[in-house]
Amino acid sequence: MSNNSKRVSVVSKLTAVSSRPTGPGHTHPFTALDHAMGLHSLHIIYYYKHNIFTYFDLDPSRVSLSEVLSLYPPVTGRLTRDGDGNWQVKCNDAGVRVVKAHVGTTLDEWLRSADGLEERDLTVWDDMPDDPNTWSPFRVQINEFQGGGIAIGLSCTHMQADPTCATLLLNSWTQTHRGQPMTHPPVYSTLQTHGPPLPNLQTKSTSFYTTKSKHVQNQPPSVQMATATFIFSHAAIKQSLIQVHDNCPDATPFDLLAALFWTRVARLKASEHERKRSLSVCVDFRKQLRPPLPLGYYGNALHFSLLSLDSEEIDGGGLGNVVERVHHHLSSMEKEEFRSAIEWFESHKEEGGGCNKFAPPFRMYGPELTCISMEHMIDVPSGPTGKAGKPLMYGAMFDEEAGPVHVSYNVGNVEGEGLIMVMPACPDDEDEMLRRTVMVALSRKELAELCEDQAVLGLHPTMLLSGRH
């Protein structure tokens, strides 16, 4: 938490433990992909219009949290090394750190006036120490706003969870609180490749990861990122998809927004010497494997791939052309790309010492401009209507009437050109499922220019958490 915070003040701290103890000697090993995410942290904030808690230390919500933690032993455990020197969780029921805080403004004013740096004050976090024996890898912060409303901040090491995994933990808490069964309970299966051995591991993915792993790390990142959030209406996205239809009739909202922000950010970073512009595209691969992983798979299931275009194509090829290139990049990705990447991580060992120790982590988010797709967060039920369900993060309701009005995601320790995250927005109704939220992290100067970019403003976004009053 920021020492310079003026509007967020901590009032109490406690530890939430599971209601049923885990058996002795239980551990949860991390995969090689989990290890690779070790330089990053994950921060999620759920905003609610009404205060759903009373006194948390006595509130039924604390009871339901303890109940759900019983199904998540790795969340309440502590990190340790196994015999090969790889990280694992000792599931010892040590508990989750919970902080209660007051915010010296209203929820609406906060969303209008806070910036991404101040928003971090809503999520308590301490980087992992050299000896993490007593360090809590998950933190929860409950923030009360003046006049009602709360924000629930969840922070964790990215080695433990990806955005899907962390989101489902919060969803499971709310479902347990309402006395409902978990829609996607945690699944602790080993991340393995499926099918016969791949005849060729020299795929584009493994080449990209090899290059990325050799990038010289800066500690800490040389440029502090500023963030802003843009919310685009269903109507604006629908109209824009119509405009690019001739180039890409099957374009998704992600294709459109990834292309839009990539081209606009590329103009801000334009250099006469650059012949290529590159975008690292991050997708969840739970549904991409065959057979697919369950949505509740606990751990990291993210795949990063590189899309490069000539500078002329970015600058003068038209938005529709770039939308088509993004769409083709994702839709043409062979299943072997995902499998080969998993095998690359599993086979990538540290030179010298034990032959089973995974290689050190490297920055997965950077140095290239990185764009994260969270389109898989839109749940599509098997019911007769065929309509898409409510986005997973907006199903986190502590009562039947009050769901979150906004959800923020942030990744810690991002390096390089910046981060773009495209995710579902809070739907106005079930027929407006094209609404999207785009969170952008850039250098402060570049972000200020992007917030004035006419191509972005032409879609009439609502801007939140940008520090712009």
Side-chain angles (χ1 to χ4, degrees):
M1 180 172 296
S2 171
N3 293 326
N4 297 320
S5 173
K6 296 180 180 179
R7 296 198 288 182
V8 181
S9 57
V10 172
V11 296
S12 65
K13 300 178 182 180
L14 56 85
T15 298
V17 297
S18 58
S19 59
R20 295 180 299 278
T22 305
H26 183 64
T27 59
H28 173 74
F30 289 147
T31 67
L33 177 55
D34 293 335
H35 277 80
M37 308 298 295
L39 295 180
H40 300 289
S41 56
L42 183 62
H43 311 269
I44 307 177
I45 302 172
Y46 280 55
Y47 292 93
Y48 294 84
K49 279 286 188 182
H50 304 288
N51 192 343
I52 51 182
F53 301 131
T54 52
Y55 297 99
F56 183 73
D57 52 347
L58 300 175
D59 196 275
S61 56
R62 184 181 176 187
V63 176
S64 59
L65 177 59
S66 294
E67 290 179 4
V68 79
L69 289 176
S70 298
L71 299 179
Y72 284 87
V75 173
T76 59
R78 297 294 181 262
L79 297 184
T80 186
R81 298 277 191 178
D82 65 14
D84 293 318
N86 294 320
W87 287 112
Q88 63 180 3
V89 182
K90 182 180 181 181
C91 300
N92 57 2
D93 299 311
V96 173
R97 300 284 188 263
V98 180
V99 168
K100 183 78 172 293
H102 285 160
V103 185
T105 187
T106 65
L107 172 58
D108 289 340
E109 175 61 22
W110 175 270
L111 292 175
R112 284 195 301 266
S113 62
D115 60 17
L117 183 61
E118 190 179 22
E119 190 186 33
R120 282 292 186 91
D121 289 341
L122 303 181
T123 59
V124 61
W125 185 246
D126 295 309
D127 290 333
M128 184 172 69
D130 293 335
D131 181 5
N133 186 51
T134 60
W135 179 77
S136 177
F138 279 81
R139 313 289 176 93
V140 175
Q141 183 167 322
I142 298 172
N143 307 274
E144 292 185 348
F145 291 91
Q146 291 181 356
I150 68 164
I152 300 177
L154 173 69
S155 295
C156 64
T157 170
H158 213 317
M159 192 160 51
Q160 277 258 23
D162 63 12
T164 301
C165 181
T167 297
L168 293 179
L169 169 60
L170 283 164
N171 280 29
S172 296
W173 178 13
T174 64
Q175 290 172 337
T176 300
H177 183 76
R178 301 200 320 267
Q180 296 183 347
M182 293 183 188
T183 306
H184 303 288
V187 177
Y188 303 103
S189 60
T190 302
L191 181 59
Q192 296 177 332
T193 55
H194 302 267
L198 288 172
N200 175 28
L201 287 180
Q202 300 304 312
T203 61
K204 293 180 181 179
S205 296
T206 59
S207 176
F208 180 41
Y209 284 128
T210 298
T211 301
K212 184 184 287 288
S213 67
K214 295 178 180 178
H215 176 70
V216 176
Q217 307 293 330
N218 295 321
Q219 298 285 350
S222 55
V223 178
Q224 186 179 58
M225 298 288 183
T227 66
T229 298
F230 304 80
I231 300 178
F232 296 92
S233 69
H234 172 93
I237 298 297
K238 183 178 180 180
Q239 181 61 35
S240 297
L241 289 174
I242 292 173
Q243 292 173 354
V244 301
H245 181 271
D246 289 345
N247 294 89
C248 189
D250 298 321
T252 67
F254 174 78
D255 300 331
L256 171 71
L257 292 169
L260 173 65
F261 279 88
W262 182 19
T263 55
R264 306 321 295 176
V265 172
R267 290 173 184 266
L268 298 178
K269 299 177 179 288
S271 170
E272 296 179 357
H273 306 291
E274 287 184 319
R275 296 183 178 180
K276 289 281 187 180
R277 303 281 172 77
S278 296
L279 182 72
S280 174
V281 183
C282 174
V283 297
D284 186 288
F285 64 68
R286 285 170 172 81
K287 297 180 181 179
Q288 305 300 325
L289 296 183
R290 292 294 179 269
L293 287 170
L295 193 62
Y297 167 75
Y298 184 90
N300 284 278
L302 298 178
H303 181 85
F304 295 78
S305 59
L306 190 68
L307 172 59
S308 297
L309 298 179
D310 292 336
S311 297
E312 293 81 3
E313 197 169 1
I314 290 284
D315 296 333
L319 179 62
N321 177 65
V322 181
V323 170
E324 191 281 329
R325 296 299 299 270
V326 173
H327 179 80
H328 180 266
H329 174 77
L330 290 175
S331 62
S332 64
M333 193 175 294
E334 300 290 341
K335 303 305 178 187
E336 72 171 6
E337 291 287 340
F338 301 102
R339 290 184 56 204
S340 67
I342 295 172
E343 292 191 7
W344 183 89
F345 281 109
E346 293 292 337
S347 63
H348 202 52
K349 307 294 184 181
E350 192 171 61
E351 295 182 3
C355 62
N356 292 320
K357 185 176 182 181
F358 297 128
F362 52 92
R363 279 201 177 85
M364 302 290 283
Y365 300 92
E368 308 86 6
L369 181 66
T370 303
C371 188
I372 306 173
S373 170
M374 297 179 70
E375 293 292 290
H376 68 286
M377 288 286 199
I378 299 178
D379 195 19
V380 181
S382 58
T385 64
K387 290 185 178 180
K390 183 176 292 187
L392 289 177
M393 63 281 281
Y394 291 99
M397 300 182 294
F398 284 90
D399 61 53
E400 297 296 337
E401 302 298 327
V405 295
H406 179 65
V407 180
S408 285
Y409 290 80
N410 285 280
V411 177
N413 217 10
V414 173
E415 184 191 59
E417 295 192 1
L419 180 67
I420 303 166
M421 186 176 294
V422 181
M423 66 197 86
C426 183
D428 288 337
D429 58 58
E430 63 179 8
D431 294 321
E432 295 207 348
M433 297 303 295
L434 295 180
R435 281 172 54 89
R436 291 295 184 272
T437 296
V438 179
M439 189 282 292
V440 182
L442 297 169
S443 71
R444 190 168 296 278
K445 178 178 180 296
E446 291 169 342
L447 187 69
E449 294 180 12
L450 181 67
C451 289
E452 301 292 341
D453 187 277
Q454 293 305 305
V456 174
L457 297 181
L459 272 66
H460 307 291
T462 299
M463 293 182 62
L464 302 176
L465 299 163
S466 63
R468 296 161 62 88
H469 295 269

